[in-house]
DNA sequence: AGTAAAATGATTGACGTACCTCAATTCAAT
DNA sequence: ATTGAATTGAGGTACGTCAATCATTTTACT
């Protein structure tokens, strides 16, 4: 009924159980001849290790941490929720998830959070600061597997990145912006922070496609909304006051302010924002927002866990596991 | 290290292990008082069953079948590939997947495939024919859990549907079509078969949004391409010959023919198709196709497996598990 | 040939749950 | 009080793998 076991492998390989074990868990001390025999037997019998038995036996408990910014609105709230949701599911697979909240731009706090971490692997969403990268190196050196989440730290020792291709996201935003807008006009781009990598990459992608394909549209200099509704609202209002905008690309958080400002504006610009939150969802419904580009937080969490598990298991991680698909939402498919 | 076990529950509940077992696996024959004690102890200790140990113990092997149309191009090929990919991962979780290929419109063959099925659950993608539905009932009656995949059989006894909301897909297609097209003109809709539910639902959604929001555009009567490149090509060519099309919504397969026809046409229509295949991907790249609406086959397989497992475990299936997100691909985000 | 090192075999005890049997106890109804 | 049924306890075995120990055989090198 159940498939072949190590015993079957041992029998067909004509070696002892101990040798099979040594090969399977490469403990060394096996002649190449015996190793070949075992491998042949594995292939012949079609043996696949029973993960349940394996985990049970070694009483493995995966301890994973998520060091992520806290907050009760916007994207980070979604991420938190996704984490909580997955947590329950994962407990019975012996995967314990610890969520360590930090503050969005508080580098010192992030470093502190990473400092006394006791786990097998960690997924971090933090600032691209040297101190953080240093801490990543330290973690890796102490045997902790590190994955970046949503915001990559490509210069660091992290072993994988889970999140969007932000350049592609920006390009996509530009494409739809361009196609929705027939005529010429001015477009406002609002980033959360001009010094954060993910926002910059989105900007870059957006700009590039605009230049390549939609030169009749004019890009205003990018502004910084600090991911806060207030300042976003003010920026949009101010820009609209000078002359009507035909398009707005909001790269970071603070969509509540954006919606307020757009609703007050004289002409309705084509508005593209990031992250499907209650606010942006409502914006889609009432027509204030035209498109929402979203990275699925659940998918991100699942992918992160999968990668962390593969890493701690010593398996090699399939490429693309960390690539989170860009979801595009319009009023018709929310 | 590892969490509380049944022993801990028994101890804190002040009952024997046997009673805990009886409650946990509701075998009956337990006084309500004892049951309450056990449940309280579970809550108090925070006991969660160790799935690995449980599965190991009962040497459970999930046997799932996928009865799906075969083919080496287009969507079905993607589905096959996704199945093969997932299969390897699932084996070591004791989930054995059998793929039973059928032919797309061959009802008799589909029924035959469903007839002598020996498994715990089955995911089927088949025609919405009474014979098939009857077979579903028979399967259910014999204890097999049934899930429909991609093409729903809502009238049948199936317990869940994994796939797109096809009406929403059609609506989304219409929205982008309408927004991409400023001027008026004629739009061609090509379904695979006008009698298949999923295609019909997409048509319906498309038509409705066109009528609601884009009345300046004219819809030609929907035509039937039989999911074949040849006939799709012919239909598009013929329609274009009469007068230039401004838009094409291709609902089914046969995109190779579509691409050929569009490339020969005088004016380039806005072209929206379904399913991200090598053909449609290439079409996006070279600009023949403007948008691809895709249902992620891997996600569908994963969701189907998850639901089948939950069903055979007797757990209730979270709503929305079967909802596959509509992926929207443009040339910038493939 | 002799010796050390390397390789292999044989065996055992967890891990946590499921499932079974058999005996012991409690309970309800006469 | 007696009987029969319902409930509870005690204990054991199995699942497949991991990880360890110790004895034994083979190999390599002088």
């Amino acid at each position: 009924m159940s498939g072949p076991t190590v015993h079957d492998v041992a029998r067909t390989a004509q070696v002892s159980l101990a040798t099979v074990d040594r090969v399977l868990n490469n403990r060394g001390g096996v002649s190449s001849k015996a190793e070949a025999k075992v491998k042949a037997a594995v292939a012949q019998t079609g043996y696949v290790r029973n993960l349940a038995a394996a985990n049970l036996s070694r009483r493995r408990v995966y301890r994973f941490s998520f060091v992520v910014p806290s907050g009760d609105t916007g994207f980070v709230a979604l991420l938190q929720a996704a984490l909580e949701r997955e947590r329950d599911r994962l407990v019975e697979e012996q995967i314990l998830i610890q969520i360590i909240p930090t503050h969005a731009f508080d580098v010192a706090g992030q470093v502190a959070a990473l400092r006394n971490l006791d786990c097998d692997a960690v997924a971090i969403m933090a600032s691209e600061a040297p101190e953080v990268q240093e801490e990543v190196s330290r973690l890796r050196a102490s045997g902790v597997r590190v994955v970046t989440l949503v915001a990559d730290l490509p210069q660091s020792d992290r072993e994988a990145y889970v999140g969007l291709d932000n350049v592609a996201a920006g390009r996509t935003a530009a494409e739809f912006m361009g196609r929705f807008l027939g005529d010429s006009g001015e477009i406002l781009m609002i980033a959360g922070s001009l010094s954060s990598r993910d926002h910059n990459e989105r900007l870059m992608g957006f700009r590039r496609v605009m230049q390549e394909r939609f030169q009749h549209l004019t890009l205003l200099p990018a502004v910084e909304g600090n991911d806060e509704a207030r300042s976003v609202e003010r920026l949009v209002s101010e820009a609209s006051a000078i002359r009507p905008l035909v398009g707005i690309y909001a790269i970071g958080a603070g969509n509540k302010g954006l919606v307020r400002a757009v609703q007050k504006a004289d002409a309705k610009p084509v508005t593209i924002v990031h992250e499907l939150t209650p606010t942006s969802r409502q914006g889609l419904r009432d027509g204030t927002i035209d498109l929402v580009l979203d990275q699925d937080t659940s998918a991100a969490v699942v992918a992160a866990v999968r990668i962390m598990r593969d890493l701690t298991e010593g398996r090699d991680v399939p490429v693309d596991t960390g690539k989170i698909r860009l979801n595009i939402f319009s009023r018709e498919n929310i």
Side-chain angles (χ1 to χ4, degrees), chain A:
Chain A
M1 182 102 290
S2 197
T5 76
V6 275
H7 295 83
D8 301 316
V9 174
R11 194 161 354 96
T12 73
Q14 315 242 49
V15 298
S16 76
L17 215 55
T19 301
V20 172
D21 177 60
R22 288 190 258 257
V23 173
L24 255 35
N25 301 308
N26 36 264
R27 305 189 201 279
V30 179
S31 69
S32 50
K33 210 178 75 181
E35 188 178 334
K37 277 204 288 183
V38 170
K39 285 189 174 163
V42 167
Q44 191 195 320
T45 56
Y47 166 80
V48 202
R49 152 181 97 141
N50 183 328
L51 230 200
N55 286 342
L56 178 58
S57 164
R58 73 170 83 140
R59 87 195 94 166
R60 192 157 209 0
V61 179
Y62 300 94
R63 283 145 66 249
F64 298 154
S65 300
F66 280 79
V67 176
V68 293
S70 60
D72 35 54
T73 60
F75 179 70
V76 290
L78 292 180
L79 189 57
Q80 289 268 357
L83 280 167
E84 310 279 1
R85 242 178 299 132
E86 287 302 318
R87 171 145 62 178
D88 301 333
R89 253 180 212 293
L90 293 170
V91 190
E92 65 171 22
E93 294 180 24
Q94 308 304 110
I95 298 178
L96 302 182
I97 286 186
Q98 191 186 6
I99 305 172
I100 301 171
T102 62
H103 293 289
F105 297 107
D106 171 20
V107 173
Q110 291 165 2
V111 169
L114 294 175
R115 188 54 62 82
N116 281 325
L117 225 44
D118 177 30
C119 57
D120 302 309
V122 59
I124 67 185
M125 172 175 173
S127 313
E128 195 175 6
E131 298 94 312
V132 173
Q133 310 207 358
E134 215 169 275
E135 208 49 44
V136 170
S137 299
R138 201 163 305 165
L139 281 167
R140 293 279 296 108
S142 70
V144 179
R145 322 307 298 255
V146 180
V147 168
T148 49
L149 188 68
V150 177
D152 196 11
L153 306 173
Q155 313 297 337
S156 72
D157 281 347
R158 61 104 177 107
E159 294 169 276
Y161 163 62
V162 176
L164 277 187
D165 175 344
N166 284 303
V167 177
R171 295 184 67 96
T172 306
E175 154 147 52
F176 283 103
M177 180 70 80
R179 303 205 65 159
F180 284 1
L181 287 172
D183 297 334
S184 59
E186 296 193 334
I187 295 173
L188 180 66
M189 304 178 292
I190 312 171
S193 152
L194 290 174
S195 58
S196 93
R197 164 175 295 267
D198 43 348
H199 290 196
N200 248 311
E201 288 178 343
R202 289 175 190 176
L203 268 182
M204 193 194 311
F206 190 84
R207 278 208 195 92
R208 223 177 268 161
V209 169
M210 277 292 163
Q211 195 183 4
E212 285 168 17
R213 298 172 52 198
F214 306 104
Q215 295 198 348
H216 55 284
L217 296 167
T218 312
L219 293 183
L220 297 173
V223 293
E224 214 167 12
N226 295 311
D227 289 343
E228 286 169 10
R230 284 273 188 80
S231 45
V232 171
E233 180 175 9
R234 191 173 43 76
L235 287 167
V236 174
S237 299
E238 283 172 4
S240 311
I242 302 174
R243 97 192 66 186
L245 299 169
V246 298
I248 300 176
Y249 178 36
I251 290 168
N255 286 332
K256 269 199 188 113
L258 176 70
V259 166
R260 280 198 298 266
V262 168
Q263 283 171 343
K264 270 184 288 183
D266 301 328
K268 161 74 182 69
V270 168
T271 307
I272 300 181
V273 308
H274 272 270
E275 313 311 348
L276 188 68
T277 61
T279 303
S280 61
R281 192 185 286 269
Q282 178 56 33
L284 278 179
R285 276 224 191 75
D286 63 32
T288 318
I289 295 174
D290 294 276
L291 227 50
V292 174
L293 304 185
D294 179 76
Q295 55 186 327
D296 188 329
T297 48
S298 288
V301 171
V302 170
V305 169
R306 182 172 221 168
I307 292 180
M308 290 194 279
R309 208 194 43 176
D310 282 353
L311 283 174
T312 58
E313 280 280 318
R315 282 189 287 203
D316 41 37
V317 179
V319 282
D320 286 12
T321 317
K323 283 203 178 160
I324 298 304
R325 180 156 292 138
L326 178 68
N327 287 319
I328 302 173
F329 292 99
S330 71
R331 59 183 273 190
E332 300 296 351
N333 73 327
I334 34 178

